[in-house]
Amino acid sequence: MLPYVYRVTKYDPADRDEHGHYIGAQGVTSDRGEYEGAYLRAVAAFAADAGVDRLAVREPGIPSFVYFGTAETADAYGLDAAMPNGLQGFHDGAVVQLPAALELVRSMLRESGAWCRLEADGIFEVHVGWDQYLYVCTSRPSENALARARALGLFSESLDASPYAAETEAPEVQRPGDDEFWSALAWAVASGRAGMLEEMYIEGASRWHPLSRETLDDVRAGLAPRARLAVWPALSPDIGAVLGSLPDDGLVEGVWRDADGRVHNAVADEEVYAELTMRMARAAAAALLPMYADERVPLFTAVLPDSDGVVRARWRTEPTPEDRKWAFLKSLRPGQVVTGTVTEVAPFGVTFVDVGGCEGFINIPELSWRSVAHPADVVSVGRRIHTEVLGVDAVRGRLALSLKALLDDPMQQLTGQIGTTLAGRVTKLVPFGVFVSIEEMENGLEGLVHNSELTGWQAEKPQLGIEIGSAVRVRILDVDPVGRRITLSQRQADPEV
């Protein structure tokens, strides 16, 4: 927060009642003359004291509720004199020279519709409030500007803070519209979940873009800097069903696409439902969206970062459940231990686990160090389990988990028994040898006895007399935990035979 804050007005502090309310003769609208000019010259004087000759537009806004039959003002909400491109150039972060900034102040004093904060980061700020109250925040004392304001017939008061200072609290969740976001959007479009992108390029104004895999790059290239983005499902071609969902009253936003592909949107209340219905009835596809924040929930959202990848826009999107899942996934790292609940044991062998509202999965090889015929042999639906994170795919919202990573590897323990002789049972015969289980359990560790290591080995009939289920004595020759191989010998287990 800048240390020097001044409220600059045309209102004499002496003309106030006991409650501090102004009771003088000055009007609460711009006179478009002497006093308006005085405000602008005072702002120029404060900027000169601060050494500022250009300012950045921050959090620009225009009136948000536009009804049918009302045309955009001829001077684009008072921006024509300040912004050569009108609304197109009126975006967060746009830098304007001081003369253009003063024209923006003039427009705000006249309440032409557009509003913004004007800032030189860490040095100087100008905020225009209601009823001709103007606030200047600066990093250094402004004695010359204060004297200039007095000479112009204005009154300046020191304050602790401007009532229009920006809120700078860290957001609960804010996803940047970076490469990862666009990859996630491409995935959502390809899978049929997403079909429309809402671009809120100014507070109170938005554009809608149909999405397809072919148009994503063009849509991204045409977005306004620092825009807020909301991803929605595709518009419905069932116009009758859409119009049938129109409520009895209240604000709604209609979004529809004409046969020529152009997308329109309008905010309407019950007084103009009839006209909204008439326009949307001829559409190729449409949707009705509620205007109330707790009901208006897109698939996921983002704010565009600057070209260096940093999100500098202070305005935020309201986090959706998918945004919170994304934030949770981004907080995870491989090797981290998480706790979840088994939600499904799929017939194709994958175990699904709910971890903090995100769906994780465990493939069969990650359930146990031992052989597993089916996940149900190890886990069951509803069971709480601890798992280790193997990988995070924030684009597709996937979380790869391992149950066995938190268990001791019995093969590692077996390395200390190399050279030991023990009893086993034959489980499988193969052309090059026999497999022997060396643990007394259903899925115990198995090792291979090569034909050449069988007792009484004969080239013609190396496995003579050996059957599945036969009890044999074997010696552990080698254990390879990485390759998951155990080498055994029957012949060396009883060398005298």
Side-chain angles (χ1 to χ4, degrees):
M1 184 176 295
L2 295 174
Y4 301 95
V5 180
Y6 305 101
R7 178 168 63 190
V8 181
T9 72
K10 61 183 178 180
Y11 307 121
D12 190 335
D15 295 331
R16 293 176 181 169
D17 62 19
E18 65 273 18
H19 303 293
H21 301 144
Y22 178 71
I23 55 175
Q26 290 286 355
V28 296
T29 59
S30 175
D31 65 352
R32 300 188 176 227
E34 177 184 354
Y35 279 107
E36 181 179 277
Y39 276 115
L40 300 184
R41 287 190 286 274
V43 171
F46 279 104
D49 276 3
V52 169
D53 62 1
R54 65 188 66 192
L55 293 166
V57 172
R58 300 306 308 270
E59 292 121 304
I62 60 174
S64 56
F65 300 123
V66 180
Y67 293 89
F68 296 118
T70 60
E72 186 177 302
T73 57
D75 61 352
Y77 304 105
L79 294 173
D80 280 358
M83 314 293 292
N85 296 325
L87 288 179
Q88 185 176 350
F90 191 54
H91 62 78
D92 192 83
V95 177
V96 296
Q97 298 294 326
L98 185 59
L102 294 177
E103 287 301 325
L104 286 172
V105 173
R106 185 196 304 276
S107 175
M108 289 186 276
L109 288 170
R110 293 183 178 183
E111 299 181 10
S112 300
W115 189 87
C116 66
R117 295 181 179 89
L118 292 165
E119 300 179 2
D121 191 31
I123 300 174
F124 187 71
E125 298 177 10
V126 178
H127 310 145
V128 179
W130 293 104
D131 299 341
Q132 306 294 288
Y133 282 90
L134 185 141
Y135 301 85
V136 176
C137 312
T138 181
S139 61
R140 61 182 73 169
S142 303
E143 296 302 328
N144 292 333
L146 290 170
R148 177 63 170 152
R150 285 193 296 271
L152 291 167
L154 301 176
F155 301 91
S156 304
E157 301 172 80
S158 293
L159 301 177
D160 293 331
S162 165
Y164 295 92
E167 297 179 4
T168 56
E169 291 185 6
E172 173 195 358
V173 172
Q174 184 55 74
R175 189 171 189 171
D178 54 11
D179 290 343
E180 183 182 83
F181 167 84
W182 287 94
S183 295
L185 181 55
W187 172 255
V189 170
S191 61
R193 292 180 61 234
M196 295 294 292
L197 181 70
E198 181 185 10
E199 174 200 3
M200 292 157 279
Y201 60 100
I202 300 174
E203 186 68 50
S206 61
R207 289 185 285 256
W208 288 81
H209 306 279
L211 300 176
S212 68
R213 283 178 287 186
E214 293 75 25
T215 62
L216 274 176
D217 289 341
D218 290 339
V219 169
R220 183 179 185 180
L223 297 175
R226 301 186 182 179
R228 290 176 292 179
L229 308 177
V231 179
W232 297 90
L235 300 180
S236 171
D238 190 344
I239 305 302
V242 172
L243 294 178
S245 67
L246 195 66
D248 294 332
D249 54 34
L251 284 171
V252 296
E253 182 173 11
V255 183
W256 67 96
R257 187 181 72 248
D258 287 340
D260 61 6
R262 289 185 299 174
V263 178
H264 310 269
N265 67 297
V267 175
D269 63 12
E270 60 276 8
E271 294 182 2
V272 288
Y273 279 177
E275 186 166 351
L276 177 65
T277 299
M278 182 181 67
R279 295 193 180 195
M280 293 180 65
R282 300 190 296 268
L288 286 175
L289 302 175
M291 292 298 296
Y292 308 106
D294 58 341
E295 300 175 5
R296 189 182 177 95
V297 183
L299 298 175
F300 51 96
T301 70
V303 172
L304 283 181
D306 290 351
S307 58
D308 59 1
V310 178
V311 176
R312 292 187 175 87
R314 285 191 292 256
W315 49 28
R316 298 290 183 251
T317 58
E318 197 66 32
T320 69
E322 286 297 319
D323 293 335
R324 291 188 174 91
K325 287 182 182 180
W326 168 84
F328 177 68
L329 288 174
K330 294 295 287 184
S331 72
L332 301 179
R333 295 290 181 271
Q336 187 172 344
V337 177
V338 295
T339 303
T341 302
V342 177
T343 58
E344 182 185 359
V345 179
F348 50 86
V350 175
T351 300
F352 293 96
V353 184
D354 180 278
V355 180
C358 296
E359 186 178 77
F361 64 92
I362 309 174
N363 289 319
I364 280 186
E366 294 300 328
L367 284 172
S368 174
W369 290 105
R370 304 178 187 279
S371 175
V372 175
H374 190 274
D377 297 336
V378 180
V379 294
S380 58
V381 173
R383 178 182 167 188
R384 294 280 289 175
I385 58 174
H386 301 295
T387 61
E388 182 175 299
V389 176
L390 294 182
V392 179
D393 183 351
V395 170
R396 300 185 182 187
R398 293 178 176 178
L399 182 60
L401 304 171
S402 173
L403 184 62
K404 77 175 185 182
L406 301 183
L407 305 174
D408 292 333
D409 182 358
M411 196 172 285
Q412 287 283 4
Q413 299 173 355
L414 199 62
T415 57
Q417 299 185 46
I418 293 175
T420 302
T421 297
L422 41 78
R425 191 168 298 277
V426 176
T427 60
K428 188 186 303 182
L429 304 179
V430 293
F432 50 84
V434 300
F435 283 93
V436 176
S437 174
I438 56 175
E439 291 184 314
E440 294 183 0
M441 59 177 62
E442 186 176 348
N443 59 346
L445 294 177
E446 296 182 350
L448 173 68
V449 181
H450 192 271
N451 286 337
S452 62
E453 291 296 328
L454 292 171
T455 300
W457 178 80
Q458 301 177 30
E460 298 80 6
K461 298 180 180 180
Q463 300 174 7
L464 183 65
I466 297 178
E467 299 178 350
I468 293 177
S470 298
V472 294
R473 286 169 56 79
V474 293
R475 184 177 186 181
I476 300 174
L477 299 184
D478 186 48
V479 178
D480 179 4
V482 177
R484 313 307 296 170
R485 291 188 295 270
I486 301 172
T487 305
L488 305 174
S489 172
Q490 182 190 27
R491 182 173 57 79
Q492 295 184 48
D494 196 356
E496 296 181 358
V497 177

